[in-house]
Amino acid sequence: MDNSDNAFQQDSRQKDSLVTNTVQAIRWHEDKLELLDQRILPHQIEYILLTNAKDTARAITDMVVRGAPAIGITAAYGVAIAARNNEDLEIAYQQLAESRPTAVNLFWALERMRKVSSQTYPDLIAEAIAIHQEDIQANIKMGQLGAGLIADNSQIYTHCNAGALATGGYGTALGVIRAAFGDNKLTQVYAGETRPWLQGARLTAWELMADSIPVKLCAEGAAAQLFRQGQIDWLVVGADRIAANGDVANKVGTYGLALLAKHHGIKVMIAAPTSTIDMQTASGEDIDIEQRHSSELTHHKGQAIAPEGCEAINPAFDITPADLIDVIATEKGLILQPSHETVAMLMSR
Ligand code: MRU
């Protein structure tokens, strides 16, 4: 709708441009919700205006906006917009809850919105803005904590996009990377391209290049050899849902990378806000993994790339067991050697 190359927020009150100048996936601007259309990045920068709950839910399903925290924030704004429109709020909550199943931040945000006692527009929009702002602050905090574990001259591999685009701003895994880069600890970041949506190639590479953080793209199939060469120090990724025992659902491919990391002595960090930790879900086996349409694999931009009629499986996420993870970095602190006990301890803080 609105063509704009001003996708980067400017905040003159703060000096650190790495903190304040990250791309804005979600804009609440003059009482309007605008989403940066992530399907056409990095070559087209276009914001889409959302005016009701149904279209907001559709934008989440269709990947206009994606990434666990960003999905939750968007849904919160969707509820507020529905209240302003005098939509049936029960239907609005339901439409938004059905938009994608795996990222628990969606349900966490909707639950927070439900707890707003008046359910009127002024109170709901204030809560949505608070959820958005708190997410940015959480990312900055977990970025500092995670970066504290990174040694000088480190090389990091990341998967998918857990950056400003996937959150309210700054990013989770990319927040750690931004903070470590700010501390002059990074010599190289590798971004796995992340098929089929190519979040690594289209989004992570774009975000990091905008911050002049040295990034090289890596085909998924090249990761094993890269890990074997012994130059990677950390695998740092985000999460869509963390179960009470520390198992992590994240972009499909994360499990394979964590296994590779374990085999090659590379440390694994999950960076996620506590809104991604789901104490109601006992283990990874209980997490609903989204299955997306097979055409995302068999076609590219509407063009067939597989034989006609070819079947495909397309799970959007996989589960990395807690015992493959060295640390979960959250805004409340670090969970070293995640387990039921260590996760519960952090959540009780
Ligand atoms: O399908 P997507 O692009 O929504 O998947 C995103 C991821 O898997 C991210 O790693 C996760 O949501 C963390 S975002 C801070």
Side-chain angles (χ1 to χ4, degrees):
M1 293 257 192
D2 164 35
N3 281 321
S4 162
D5 57 6
N6 184 22
F8 292 85
Q9 62 191 41
Q10 302 291 341
D11 186 343
S12 55
R13 291 167 301 181
Q14 296 193 48
K15 289 197 188 84
D16 184 349
S17 68
L18 285 180
V19 171
T20 58
N21 198 25
T22 58
V23 63
Q24 285 185 286
I26 305 161
R27 286 201 305 213
W28 182 254
H29 185 60
E30 294 175 354
D31 286 340
K32 292 191 182 78
L33 175 62
E34 296 172 338
L35 298 178
L36 181 58
D37 189 345
Q38 300 195 29
R39 300 168 302 181
I40 54 175
L41 287 174
H43 300 299
Q44 280 170 270
I45 295 175
E46 190 174 314
Y47 280 90
I48 296 180
L49 179 68
L50 279 311
T51 57
N52 59 55
K54 187 166 166 248
D55 290 350
T56 305
R58 167 62 67 180
I60 295 171
T61 306
D62 290 351
M63 309 279 281
V64 172
V65 64
R66 30 67 50 202
I71 291 170
I73 294 162
T74 301
Y77 283 120
V79 171
I81 291 169
R84 185 173 59 189
N85 295 344
N86 291 320
E87 292 176 43
D88 182 325
L89 274 191
E90 256 331 293
I91 294 175
Y93 274 111
Q94 196 179 327
Q95 286 168 332
L96 290 159
E98 286 170 0
S99 58
R100 288 189 81 184
T102 305
V104 77
N105 306 64
L106 170 66
F107 308 101
W108 172 88
L110 291 176
E111 203 45 45
R112 246 183 89 161
M113 296 301 281
R114 271 192 190 280
K115 285 187 181 143
V116 173
S117 53
S118 77
Q119 294 292 292
T120 58
Y121 173 67
D123 289 349
L124 288 168
I125 193 61
E127 188 69 354
I129 291 170
I131 289 171
H132 192 168
Q133 294 307 321
E134 286 168 26
D135 184 66
I136 299 172
Q137 294 312 315
N139 293 338
I140 292 168
K141 185 75 199 160
M142 92 185 64
Q144 287 167 347
L145 292 172
L149 299 177
I150 310 280
D152 286 349
N153 299 313
S154 287
Q155 302 204 30
I156 292 179
Y157 188 104
T158 190
H159 183 57
C160 194
N161 171 266
L165 287 165
T167 63
Y170 195 67
T172 57
L174 296 198
V176 171
I177 286 170
R178 285 192 162 96
F181 178 73
D183 293 342
N184 294 315
K185 289 173 164 179
L186 288 191
T187 54
Q188 188 65 54
V189 178
Y190 290 90
E193 61 180 348
T194 319
R195 288 183 181 270
W197 275 88
L198 300 172
Q199 289 95 330
R202 296 187 303 105
L203 310 178
T204 295
W206 184 62
E207 264 199 64
L208 294 182
M209 287 172 75
D211 279 354
S212 303
I213 297 175
V215 57
K216 284 183 186 168
L217 206 51
C218 180
E220 249 91 283
Q225 185 65 19
L226 180 70
F227 282 23
R228 185 161 74 176
Q229 284 163 353
Q231 288 162 10
I232 305 294
D233 301 282
W234 282 92
L235 171 67
V236 182
V237 296
D240 279 78
R241 189 182 295 229
I242 301 174
N245 71 343
D247 290 351
V248 168
N250 190 47
K251 178 54 56 192
V252 67
T254 302
Y255 175 37
L257 290 165
L259 283 168
L260 280 177
K262 190 80 174 170
H263 185 76
H264 292 293
I266 293 164
K267 290 191 277 303
V268 177
M269 183 189 301
I270 306 290
T274 49
S275 54
T276 305
I277 299 180
D278 178 10
M279 296 304 280
Q280 311 305 318
T281 296
S283 79
E285 279 178 32
D286 306 311
I287 297 176
D288 186 2
I289 299 290
E290 177 183 14
Q291 306 292 325
R292 292 188 64 89
H293 202 276
S294 60
S295 63
E296 292 181 352
L297 288 182
T298 57
H299 289 67
H300 181 66
K301 291 189 175 167
Q303 200 72 16
I305 53 172
E308 205 178 318
C310 178
E311 293 183 13
I313 58 157
N314 188 16
F317 304 99
D318 61 21
I319 305 294
T320 300
D323 62 4
L324 294 178
I325 298 164
D326 292 285
V327 58
I328 299 175
T330 79
E331 80 283 9
K332 283 191 178 179
L334 301 171
I335 306 175
L336 299 168
Q337 293 174 322
S339 67
H340 199 283
E341 291 68 37
T342 56
V343 171
M345 206 183 299
L346 180 110
M347 291 304 275
S348 68
R349 275 189 202 171

